[in-house]
Amino acid sequence: EIVLTQSPGTLSLSPGERATLSCRASQSVSSNYLAWYQQKRGQAPRLLIYGASSRATGIPDRFSGSGSGTDFTLTISRLEPEDFAVYYCQQYGSSPETFGQGTKVEIK
Amino acid sequence: QVQLVQSGSELKKPGASVKVSCKASGYTFTRYAMNWVRQAPGQGLEWMGWIDTNTGNPTYAQGFTGRFVFSLDTSVSTAYLQISSLKAEDTAVYYCGRGDRTGYYDYWGQGTLVTVSS
């Protein structure tokens, strides 16, 4: 099973700042099948990025994904008030699919 | 537009069973897999497994065998999760998620809270 470790656990930033979230895999993610989801309190997760770097439909271009192999990054170029949430990475390249433990982006 | 609408919250006693539904609309149901994900209170996301909506064949993650059953009614474009012999530790929000052919979840249901308490 591939273990995904997200860092940091919590990121305290102000609106307008840049957020950089990390997701490290215990072994290489097949075909870079790595997705990022955003989850706000009381809501279902929402797909942001798939295939490590492809933005999902309707996702603003301030969200970008990068990386390959075992190291992946989600960058939010300028935080908007609605971006404060928990972010999860997921690998779907090998079974069992696994999620990281999440990074909370909170208002500083 | 694509929608996954889940059934409402459930309060069950230990030992009982529960069946959660996930009704799909806005697309051809049998063209996409359906996944199930558990989120315990204050915790992260945990993949439970998936069901092939074309064949009805389920795949369960480790830890979700025996008491958990995925099923379908393709005539009404609905997937089901049944949990038997409920325990307090089954208390969680359960999500269905439509699986793209490569495996990421592009649409999610709104979640169903199952509370197990005596």
Side-chain angles (χ1 to χ4, degrees):
Chain A
E1 170 176 325
I2 295 179
V3 176
L4 298 179
T5 302
Q6 293 187 239
S7 62
T10 302
L11 201 49
S12 298
L13 295 168
S14 301
E17 290 193 293
R18 181 185 189 88
T20 303
L21 288 66
S22 173
C23 176
R24 180 161 291 179
S26 60
Q27 52 189 283
S28 186
V29 175
S30 176
S31 302
N32 292 327
Y33 281 169
L34 192 286
W36 290 92
Y37 301 90
Q38 176 194 67
Q39 186 178 35
K40 298 180 181 178
R41 183 180 294 274
Q43 295 185 19
R46 177 175 72 142
L47 176 68
L48 299 176
I49 301 288
Y50 63 92
S53 60
S54 297
R55 260 189 309 276
T57 304
I59 300 304
D61 61 7
R62 64 180 181 272
F63 292 92
S64 63
S66 62
S68 64
T70 61
D71 286 294
F72 300 88
T73 301
L74 174 70
T75 302
I76 310 171
S77 59
R78 292 173 314 280
L79 283 164
E80 296 287 341
E82 61 268 28
D83 299 337
F84 292 92
V86 179
Y87 293 82
Y88 294 95
C89 57
Q90 176 215 18
Q91 70 80 23
Y92 51 96
S94 54
S95 188
E97 301 174 16
T98 49
F99 290 91
Q101 82 280 16
T103 289
K104 181 179 181 180
V105 178
E106 65 176 23
I107 299 177
K108 186 174 181 179
Chain B
Q1 74 282 20
V2 174
Q3 280 192 304
L4 300 178
V5 179
Q6 297 185 226
S7 48
S9 297
E10 301 268 10
L11 174 60
K12 295 290 185 180
K13 293 190 183 305
S17 295
V18 69
K19 194 169 187 177
V20 176
S21 66
C22 171
K23 182 170 177 57
S25 61
Y27 71 98
T28 302
F29 183 67
T30 52
R31 288 189 180 172
Y32 294 82
M34 193 65 75
N35 296 269
W36 290 95
V37 174
R38 182 171 76 177
Q39 188 168 39
Q43 302 300 308
L45 305 172
E46 187 177 16
W47 181 64
M48 300 174 65
W50 67 287
I51 186 164
D52 185 326
T53 55
N54 212 25
T55 64
N57 183 48
T59 298
Y60 300 98
Q62 199 169 11
F64 294 99
T65 56
R67 298 190 299 116
F68 299 83
V69 176
F70 306 148
S71 62
L72 304 170
D73 184 342
T74 56
S75 69
V76 289
S77 300
T78 301
Y80 300 95
L81 163 65
Q82 183 161 2
I83 312 171
S84 58
S85 303
L86 283 162
K87 308 173 183 180
E89 51 264 42
D90 294 323
T91 294
V93 176
Y94 293 85
Y95 292 101
C96 58
R98 190 181 85 161
D100 175 80
R101 61 177 181 80
T102 58
Y104 59 85
Y105 310 161
D106 54 359
Y107 290 91
W108 294 66
Q110 82 277 19
T112 297
L113 173 62
V114 175
T115 303
V116 183
S117 173
S118 54

